[in-house]
Amino acid sequence: MSASITVLDYGCGAGQIVTALRNKGIDARGCDVFIRGGLFKSRSTRVAWGVIKHMEHGVIPFPDESFDYVVNNQVMEHVEDIDSVLTEIYRVLKPGGQVLSMFPDKSCCREGHCGIPFLHWFPKSSKGRIYYAAFLRALGMGYFKGDKSILQWSRDFCQWLDRWTWYRSYREICTVFDKRFVRLTHIEEQWLQIRYGRWAMIIGWLPRQIRRWVLRKLAGMVFISIKAI
């Protein structure tokens, strides 16, 4: 195991990213609360080894300045107090270390958890949102349909969104990241190329700024921020 690079996956779930990095010889660790939105995330056997640790009371269970990189993948839209989360990430990151963040801001057109576009644009506890989601569900949209009725599916997902998601404007996100980190750099295009390879060429003919706008509206943001030395 290489000791030259240390990586923390914040909100690692069952540890897929941690496992992939460790298979490449990188000293990767993870932390999570393991229960999110009423769904139990299976505890990997790596928990017993200290590779993946259980987070309590919002505290990352690793010492100060432990990591060269911190990854958070589709996590920040589930964080109510993002300021305290970034305080903890800042604490465990080495000076000059980088944070790779992947999550949607409020302007993203697609609500990725349930597959209903614009659903997260409605105010929390909005009754209109329930009927809007039910209408699109009746047209065949939506994920995890199971055997629920259309209206029950809609009610349950809207309740889940109310309880477990906090979508923020891009300005709000930049403000809270800028309090602790420097040089926020968007890399959506690089992420698309790495993940989808030749399929990324589908929008490759578009001007750069338009490509970035399309990616952010349909998939979410991917950006790097740095802890000052």
Side-chain angles (χ1 to χ4, degrees), residues 10-215:
Y10 180 89
C12 65
Q16 295 93 333
I17 291 176
V18 174
T19 300
L21 291 174
R22 293 181 73 85
N23 287 342
K24 292 181 179 295
I26 296 171
D27 184 6
R29 310 296 174 103
C31 61
D32 205 318
V33 296
F34 292 105
I35 296 176
R36 201 62 178 160
L39 301 176
F40 183 76
K41 292 183 176 178
S42 60
R43 296 181 183 227
S44 165
T45 54
R46 292 182 183 276
V47 173
W49 308 341
V51 173
I52 295 176
K53 294 189 177 183
H54 185 198
M55 240 182 349
E56 295 184 15
H57 310 297
V59 177
I60 297 175
F62 291 100
D64 296 356
E65 299 183 359
S66 298
F67 298 100
D68 299 294
Y69 300 93
V70 175
V71 177
N72 59 91
N73 182 21
Q74 311 305 318
V75 172
M76 293 302 176
E77 76 273 25
H78 298 293
V79 169
E80 183 174 9
D81 187 354
I82 192 172
D83 189 71
S84 65
V85 167
L86 292 181
T87 297
E88 274 295 288
I89 289 176
Y90 182 92
R91 178 183 66 79
V92 301
L93 194 64
K94 296 177 183 178
Q98 299 184 16
V99 182
L100 172 61
S101 301
M102 296 169 280
F103 66 101
D105 68 338
K106 192 170 185 177
S107 71
C108 187
C109 300
R110 174 177 168 268
E111 206 303 305
H113 303 95
C114 64
I116 300 295
F118 311 115
L119 193 64
H120 55 297
W121 290 16
F122 286 77
K124 286 181 180 285
S125 302
S126 166
K127 290 185 178 180
R129 178 169 69 171
I130 295 174
Y131 295 110
Y132 167 78
F135 173 72
L136 294 186
R137 166 70 178 79
L139 295 179
M141 295 186 182
Y143 307 144
F144 311 114
K145 299 172 184 178
D147 57 358
K148 293 181 180 180
S149 70
I150 290 174
L151 197 55
Q152 188 60 51
W153 177 90
S154 179
R155 286 196 181 105
D156 288 351
F157 248 123
C158 288
Q159 184 179 39
W160 187 89
L161 288 173
D162 283 346
R163 186 176 181 186
W164 298 110
T165 63
W166 288 268
Y167 285 93
R168 298 171 175 88
S169 70
Y170 181 67
R171 178 174 292 183
E172 289 175 303
I173 292 165
C174 287
T175 297
V176 72
F177 269 83
D178 287 347
K179 286 174 64 176
R180 290 170 183 82
F181 304 103
V182 297
R183 288 171 53 194
L184 190 153
T185 304
H186 282 275
I187 59 167
E188 288 87 358
E189 294 163 279
Q190 294 93 320
W191 170 84
L192 183 71
Q193 185 65 44
I194 292 170
R195 182 163 182 179
Y196 294 106
R198 63 187 182 87
W199 293 105
M201 297 297 294
I202 294 174
I203 63 170
W205 58 273
L206 293 171
R208 181 179 180 184
Q209 291 301 320
I210 295 178
R211 289 201 306 269
R212 181 174 294 174
W213 182 87
V214 169
L215 291 171

